[in-house]
Amino acid sequence: MKKVIAMIIMAAMLLGLAGCAAPAAEAETAPAEEAVVEEAAVEAETTEGESYTVGICQLVQHAALDAATQGFKDVLAEKLGDSVTIEEANASNDIPTCATICNGFAASEVDLIMANATPALQAAAAATNTIPVLGTSVTEYGVALNIENFTGVVGTNVSGTSDLAPLDQQADMVMELIPEAKTVGILYCSAEANSVYQANVVKEYLEGKGLTVNIYTFSDSNDVAAVATSACSECDALYIPTDNTAASCAEAISAVALPAGVPIIAGEEGLCSGCGLATLSIDYYELGRATGEMAVKVLKGEADIAEMEIGYAPEPTKKYNPDIASKLGIEIPAGYVAIGE
């Protein structure tokens, strides 16, 4: 600020001197005076610092996605403070609404879009090819963005973090905790591309272990209970991937599976706390923070999003739901952590 004041005083002094000079001299000094004033104005703008607007599109409200969004916002608040304005919108699990939200962000020319969950990422990528887009809680970017032979870098205005946990280890939990199971049902929303991907991988793995696997899909939350009822009547255990619709309907699934005595291995902790017996889950809050760190680098011009590799969560943790384990009479072996501890 002192530098700005000094520059303005200098400009005023030059103007005073010019007023005492001959007309010819006045004409010669005018351009210099204008340059000094303009330089002072530029310096003032620079001193004020940069400001950013970030749009957040979250597919649906449930524990895992909420935690990722909070982690993302916390990092932006810590690193950028009052210089960042966040515009946050939740699509209430309606995919067309994701498109409406992201198109709005693109039209208002926000500086960056954070897309929480696969449908939100797909909507953001379709809305703009210039505004940086960072995904989080997205399982497989190659599947989400229809990229064949995906190598880990999208190469466009899109990057982000993945919530993919080792699917073979999740599938192993079925055999570890429910060794008597012969038929396993995989339950997921057919509208979620990454759920389809996870289901196919786990199905192949379990069948390779000699188990019978049945697929049960629902199109939205309206038919979750009915589909879950069919699955529980035909299977010894269920596996549910990191499916956002299932997570938002976890209580409805539990209301069917628990009375039927059918244990569920879940793809993530939030879903498991609502209806599952156990999970191999990442920390979604930390995943959101990792996404926030990427956002800060992009906004400050410290990284080119087209060159940023997809980030992954730290080593996942084996967790179990003590309430459901007790009600089903299943003893949990060593190496698992109770949800909530």
Side-chain angles (χ1 to χ4, degrees):
M1 181 59 74
K2 290 180 179 179
K3 183 177 179 181
V4 175
I5 293 172
M7 297 294 284
I8 294 172
I9 292 172
M10 184 182 295
M13 291 174 65
L14 287 171
L15 286 170
L17 290 172
C20 299
E26 183 179 86
E28 291 175 0
T29 57
E33 295 160 11
E34 292 174 2
V36 170
V37 174
E38 288 175 1
E39 183 179 345
V42 170
E43 182 68 21
E45 290 176 3
T46 304
T47 305
E48 291 175 2
E50 296 289 342
S51 62
Y52 313 98
T53 301
V54 174
I56 297 177
C57 177
Q58 181 173 319
L59 173 64
V60 64
Q61 182 177 4
H62 68 71
L65 300 191
D66 291 349
T69 292
Q70 190 60 54
F72 179 82
K73 293 194 296 184
D74 284 353
V75 168
L76 264 60
E78 292 165 11
K79 298 294 180 69
L80 301 177
D82 294 337
S83 66
V84 63
T85 299
I86 295 177
E87 298 178 3
E88 186 175 355
N90 193 299
S92 300
N93 208 30
D94 184 67
I95 293 176
T97 300
C98 286
T100 300
I101 292 168
C102 292
N103 286 335
F105 289 154
S108 62
E109 298 183 342
V110 298
D111 297 297
L112 183 142
I113 298 173
M114 192 278 264
N116 194 344
T118 299
L121 176 72
Q122 292 169 327
T128 177
N129 60 7
T130 55
I131 297 172
V133 173
L134 288 174
T136 196
S137 311
V138 176
T139 304
E140 170 53 54
Y141 281 75
V143 172
L145 300 174
N146 196 29
I147 303 173
E148 293 185 7
N149 303 315
F150 182 59
T151 60
V153 177
V154 177
T156 64
N157 63 315
V158 177
S159 189
T161 57
S162 168
D163 62 356
L164 181 63
L167 297 176
D168 57 342
Q169 294 179 39
Q170 287 186 347
D172 282 338
M173 297 172 83
V174 175
M175 294 170 283
E176 180 182 22
L177 301 177
I178 318 147
E180 69 281 4
K182 303 299 182 185
T183 302
V184 178
I186 300 180
L187 181 70
Y188 64 92
C189 178
S190 57
E192 298 193 29
N194 282 305
S195 294
V196 178
Y197 167 78
Q198 293 172 83
N200 290 337
V201 172
V202 171
K203 180 178 185 292
E204 183 177 357
Y205 185 83
L206 290 175
E207 288 178 338
K209 297 294 184 180
L211 297 176
T212 299
V213 179
N214 297 332
I215 298 293
Y216 300 88
T217 65
F218 46 86
S219 58
D220 56 40
S221 59
N222 294 321
D223 56 349
V224 169
V227 175
T229 298
S230 296
C232 288
S233 67
E234 299 169 357
C235 301
D236 305 312
L238 298 182
Y239 170 77
I240 305 177
T242 55
D243 186 280
N244 295 293
T245 305
S248 66
C249 299
E251 291 184 4
I253 295 171
S254 182
V256 173
L258 197 55
V262 177
I264 298 171
I265 302 301
E268 51 89 9
E269 183 177 341
L271 175 62
C272 188
S273 64
C275 66
L277 169 66
T279 182
L280 181 67
S281 181
I282 67 165
D283 187 326
Y284 277 81
Y285 176 78
E286 292 301 326
L287 189 71
R289 287 190 64 88
T291 316
E293 295 286 355
M294 295 174 74
V296 171
K297 290 180 180 178
V298 171
L299 290 171
K300 287 187 172 183
E302 297 172 356
D304 181 355
I305 194 168
E307 299 176 355
M308 297 181 85
E309 292 187 0
I310 300 303
Y312 291 86
E315 191 68 23
T317 304
K318 281 186 172 183
K319 295 192 174 184
Y320 75 98
N321 186 324
D323 180 56
I324 288 182
S326 175
K327 289 178 179 177
L328 292 177
I330 296 177
E331 186 175 347
I332 304 297
Y336 284 77
V337 177
I339 291 175
E341 288 187 355

